[in-house]
Amino acid sequence: MSTHKSLRAVVAVPLREEHCLLIERLEPRLELVRDVSLTRPMRGPADWSGDPDHERSAAQQRAFDEMVDSADALFGIPDVDPAALARTVAANPGLRWVMTTAAGGGGQVKAAGLDDAALERIVFTTSAGVHGGPLAEFAVFGVLAGAKGLPRLRQDQDAGVWPERWEMRQIDEMTVLVVGLGGIGAECARRFHALGAEVWGTTRSGAPVDGVDRLIPLDELVSAVADVDAIVVTLPGTEQTHHLIGADIFAAVKPGVIVANVGRGTVIDEEALLAALDDGRVGFAALDVFEVEPLPSASPLWRHPHVLVSPHTAALSSKEEERIARRFAENATRLLDGEPLRAVVDTVEFY
């Protein structure tokens, strides 16, 4: 990759001025173009798509499109809308790099339906890894909630019942299988290892990961789950990972296994999970992600006594915006210096 003297980057989503200034300070060769009057206002932390009720006038939309189309690089997919990405890619032959604000931004790139020439010309990167810490904490929380019998404690407390004493499970006596050892999975492994668990992890590369005692090839997953006490899913949603954790896995698990999902909802077959919860093969499930989001009110997961539902909010942090701004600046430096970028989207599997 050749080096470049400067880079015109356009902020295509809402980003506070303090974070724009941070990017400029970290990489002074960037020309960072932004216009807060043209991006939708955020409704809360890291609300990259902005308020959907905010409408631009025709003149504002033209100005926004012109600004976006002038970019060598984009901070964010415009309005986090795949159709808007497809429009600017077609309109701007000079576009070389797009960073998605979502860790799973590959799905948005795929939804834009870009041709091979565009995918060859433009490097797409994601914010993968910046959410690792918060999601790993939720995974630990979910496994602890299952190990310590949170539903039983809550039920007795609500009823004002002091039961006979009963034994809780201990993390340091458990084997925890982390399915997917990317940025989030590596953070999960580190934390479970620190709590004394035996940590197993699935891998495609076979490369060792800190805190992981045993690497499991994906094709050995069904046999491995018979020996683990908790399964933590961190995988992205791709065609290859769709329903990877399905009926065959749940049929093979050690009865009472705890499941936590901080990856994508499509990795787990929810029908198969519900059947396994009902017959006790899965003792507890802590889920931050679901096959359909928002989770439909008719879903039995809402009311299941051994399920903890989190509305895809475990990664949300007021620090997220700053972390993503730092990632953008770091990758801008890499691009300008001819170095490989971090978290590049695989444009075959789109993760």
Side-chain angles (χ1 to χ4, degrees), residues 175-190:
T175 299
V176 178
L177 172 63
V178 181
V179 182
L181 288 173
I184 298 164
E187 290 291 332
C188 289
R190 202 160 63 83

Side-chain angles (χ1 to χ4, degrees), residues 58-311:
Q60 284 175 323
Q61 187 64 50
R62 276 195 305 276
F64 179 71
D65 290 347
E66 280 172 23
M67 178 177 77
V68 166
D69 293 350
S70 72
D72 302 318
L74 290 176
F75 180 100
I77 289 174
D79 296 333
V80 196
D81 178 1
L85 174 63
R87 189 208 61 76
T88 193
V89 165
N92 178 11
L95 184 62
R96 297 206 311 274
W97 168 42
V98 177
M99 187 185 85
T100 73
T101 47
Q108 297 165 350
V109 176
K110 183 179 183 181
L114 305 175
D115 62 23
D116 290 345
L119 295 173
E120 188 69 30
R121 164 170 64 98
I122 301 163
V123 180
F124 293 94
T125 65
T126 74
S127 66
V130 306
H131 310 91
L135 288 174
E137 281 198 10
F138 182 84
V140 170
F141 166 68
V143 173
L144 276 168
K148 305 304 178 189
L150 179 62
R152 184 174 180 176
L153 292 169
R154 189 71 254 178
Q155 188 178 13
D156 286 345
Q157 184 174 341
D158 288 346
V161 169
W162 184 280
E164 290 296 312
R165 295 174 72 201
W166 48 275
E167 189 179 352
M168 295 180 177
R169 288 195 261 179
Q170 322 301 318
I171 294 266
D172 66 2
E173 296 172 2
M174 294 171 73
T175 299
V176 178
L177 172 63
V178 181
V179 182
L181 288 173
I184 298 164
E187 290 291 332
C188 289
R190 202 160 63 83
R191 283 164 173 76
F192 283 108
H193 175 79
L195 289 168
E198 166 118 353
V199 180
W200 297 0
T202 64
T203 174
R204 290 202 298 185
S205 69
V209 175
D210 284 349
V212 178
D213 300 291
R214 180 180 165 192
L215 292 172
I216 308 290
L218 267 177
D219 57 9
E220 293 176 22
L221 193 55
V222 173
S223 58
V225 295
D227 297 311
V228 304
D229 303 288
I231 299 169
V232 174
V233 179
T234 71
L235 290 172
T238 69
E239 284 174 25
Q240 286 71 23
T241 65
H242 186 264
H243 285 187
L244 178 71
I245 309 297
D248 56 340
I249 298 285
F250 291 124
V253 294
K254 182 194 285 192
V257 71
I258 297 163
V259 174
N261 191 1
V262 291
R264 279 293 178 266
T266 53
V267 180
I268 293 181
D269 178 341
E270 286 177 5
E271 250 182 73
L273 172 62
L274 277 160
L277 281 158
D278 286 342
D279 71 13
R281 280 170 293 152
V282 173
F284 184 77
L287 308 172
D288 184 51
V289 288
F290 301 88
E291 289 196 60
V292 176
E293 294 181 6
L295 182 64
S297 58
S299 169
L301 290 169
W302 280 114
R303 290 166 292 283
H304 202 286
H306 295 121
V307 174
L308 185 66
V309 170
S310 166

